Structure formats: C-alpha cells, structure tokens
Amino acid sequence: KMHFSTAVIASVAALAPLASAVGNAVVTNHCAFPVYLWSVGGSVGPKQTIPAGGSYSEALHHDSASGGISLKITTVDNGLYNGSPQTNFAYTLDPGTVWYDLSDVFGDPFSGKTIVVRPTDTACSSICWPQGVNPGGSQTKNCNSDSSINLNLCAAKC
C-alpha cells in the first residue's frame, strides 16, 4: 500500500512541471479608453473591463467543448451582446504548441489604431495590423505552448 501511495505522489509530482510550462494569453490596453473582453470557449466567461493602461491574462488552456478559446474584445460595454464590432484574439492549445490568430467581426473596433500580437518567444511570428484592420492573408501563427502570446491594443508600433 505504501508503495502505491509513493508511486501516485511521484506521478503527480512529475506532472507538475508540465502544468506550469504553459504560457498565458495576455491583452494589454494601451488605448486611452476602456475595452471589454469575454473569454469564450464552450461557454462565455464573465465580462472583463480593461481600463486604459490595464491588462487581462489567462493561462493558455484547451477547451474540450469547442477546441479553442476566443478572447472577444469590444470598445462598447456589453458589446458582445449588442452586435458591436469585435476583435477576436483566438488560440488553440495542442500538446507543445499554441496556435493563435486575430480576426474582426461586425466591423473593426480598432480601425486607425495599431494592434499587434507578439509572443514572448521572439523566434515565433507576430501578427500586426498597423491600421487596426486585417491587412490580408492568413493571420494564423503558432508557437511553443510555454510561450505567452501578448495582444497589444493601440500599440505604439508593430
């Protein structure tokens, strides 16, 4: 019995580094106005208000119902529910890899402002919309899952 307990503890301890080796999805608001964010997978998370200069962060995770997570961002309070333009910062976590992209629906809430996704691993590709709208082409990129992916709204530059 003692041997089994020790084996279980050793197994759990061995998994702990894997759990902590996952990065974060971070949204930083450099705009002069608040933005509103919902983390959406198989269900819709609570509204997060990100004030000017503030940020939101969540650990990268897999959603078993939808397969991925979309951080839906609007410049209008309750914009997710009233058809306001939204920017979707989406990611899917596979073992060892995070896939991420950027898209707009119902309009372009950050038109005229720079938005950029920059992973902490500088070897991975950034996504930059210098005018706040999709410049064309595929916006899907990937990086190692232990990297954080950072979306900067109203960034100074790409």
Side-chain angles (χ1 to χ4, degrees):
K1 187 171 183 179
M2 183 61 137
H3 179 71
F4 174 74
S5 300
T6 305
V8 169
I9 291 169
S11 296
V12 171
L15 291 175
L18 296 177
S20 63
V22 175
N24 296 300
V26 180
V27 177
T28 302
N29 182 12
H30 298 282
C31 304
F33 48 85
V35 299
Y36 307 91
L37 177 149
W38 294 261
S39 181
V40 179
S43 62
V44 179
K47 176 180 76 175
Q48 306 291 325
T49 301
I50 308 173
S55 65
Y56 167 84
S57 178
E58 71 179 35
L60 296 173
H61 61 282
H62 177 78
D63 184 83
S64 57
S66 65
I69 302 294
S70 181
L71 301 180
K72 296 178 176 284
I73 304 161
T74 68
T75 57
V76 175
D77 195 9
N78 292 317
L80 184 64
Y81 301 105
N82 63 24
S84 294
Q86 61 184 251
T87 293
N88 294 328
F89 176 35
Y91 68 87
T92 302
L93 187 61
D94 286 333
T97 304
V98 59
W99 297 84
Y100 50 97
D101 72 7
L102 206 53
S103 62
D104 281 352
V105 293
F106 310 126
D108 303 297
F110 296 98
S111 181
K113 313 225 180 294
T114 299
I115 55 179
V116 59
V117 177
R118 189 168 286 121
T120 53
D121 182 340
T122 56
C124 299
S125 296
S126 295
I127 300 171
C128 182
W129 293 6
Q131 297 302 316
V133 297
N134 187 328
S138 172
Q139 299 298 304
T140 303
K141 311 291 183 198
N142 69 72
C143 197
N144 12 334
S145 61
D146 61 350
S147 295
S148 290
I149 48 175
N150 304 295
L151 170 60
N152 290 284
L153 303 170
C154 303
K157 61 183 176 67
C158 285

